[in-house]
Amino acid sequence: MRILALDYASVGAAAWTAQPRVQTRHFDFCQIAGVPKSKQAQSHDAIFKAAFDTVIDLIDEAQPDVIAVEKDTGRGYNTIVMFGGFRGMVLLAARERGIRVISDIDASTARYLAGVGGGSTKKEVAGTKARLFFGLPVTLSDDEVDAVVLHEAVKARLADERMQARLKPARKRRAA
């Protein structure tokens, strides 16, 4: 099962299933769109277009069966608009390609499912733990580490779904 995990924090990052290990990429939608950070609030259309094109390119490269987007609404008006727009854009790109989207895992749950802690763990602590746990290079950005954590969390969820699907017929047989 190929997974494309997207972390869209301040700029953006992706992690996807590849051999021999998960691949990552860091990108800055403002830079791709040619928009200075100071003009971000006035340039949502250009930034969303750059993000959409980037996600389409990632889908073509990664050929995922599932796309994961972290559940985050952001804080503050501009962040809420950006996160909501990015989330909608990913859902649209996935829908156009017929790809399942998992978008209900928040950062804390992702860390828990991936095995690097959960609860109110600070981002810096969680990032350090994830780098050690997954053997990630220190050169990866925090967003790339978050994308890897989300990727691993979705892998764990999908494994659980497969296990539950196998157990379901056994439960029905016992009940009959």
Side-chain angles (χ1 to χ4, degrees):
M1 173 88 36
R2 291 183 312 264
I3 302 164
L4 172 60
L6 300 169
D7 181 86
Y8 49 87
S10 57
V11 282
W16 64 94
T17 307
Q19 297 303 329
R21 61 187 305 162
V22 171
Q23 297 294 307
T24 63
R25 184 164 306 141
H26 187 262
F27 37 82
D28 182 332
F29 298 133
C30 287
Q31 184 180 25
I32 293 167
V35 174
K37 293 268 190 224
S38 61
K39 302 287 185 195
Q40 180 178 339
Q42 296 86 25
S43 306
H44 291 146
D45 57 340
I47 294 167
F48 292 146
K49 174 67 172 133
F52 184 79
D53 292 345
T54 301
V55 169
I56 291 295
D57 290 345
L58 284 168
I59 289 170
D60 291 344
E61 182 177 345
Q63 295 294 307
D65 301 301
V66 175
I67 296 176
V69 181
E70 185 177 271
K71 177 183 174 186
D72 192 347
T73 56
R75 294 145 269 330
Y77 174 77
N78 193 48
T79 307
I80 291 168
V81 169
M82 292 302 292
F83 282 10
F86 183 79
R87 188 181 183 83
M89 178 272 312
V90 170
L91 292 170
L92 175 62
R95 175 109 184 175
E96 284 187 353
R97 302 295 175 101
I99 301 170
R100 176 183 176 193
V101 176
I102 295 177
S103 62
D104 62 340
I105 300 175
D106 61 31
S108 179
T109 303
R111 290 190 293 265
Y112 174 77
L113 291 172
V116 292
S120 62
T121 304
K122 289 187 176 183
K123 185 171 180 146
E124 299 80 26
V125 173
T128 300
K129 287 168 87 176
R131 282 181 172 87
L132 291 170
F133 190 76
F134 297 118
L136 301 173
V138 294
T139 55
L140 287 186
S141 70
D142 289 339
D143 292 336
E144 286 173 292
V145 172
D146 289 348
V148 170
V149 169
L150 181 59
H151 180 276
E152 295 302 315
V154 170
K155 228 165 69 173
R157 173 182 277 177
L158 294 172
D160 184 58
E161 286 177 3
R162 287 190 297 274
M163 178 62 73
Q164 293 300 323
R166 281 190 222 124
L167 292 174
K168 199 173 191 178
R171 288 186 198 131
K172 285 182 181 178
R173 283 194 300 267
R174 273 189 250 136

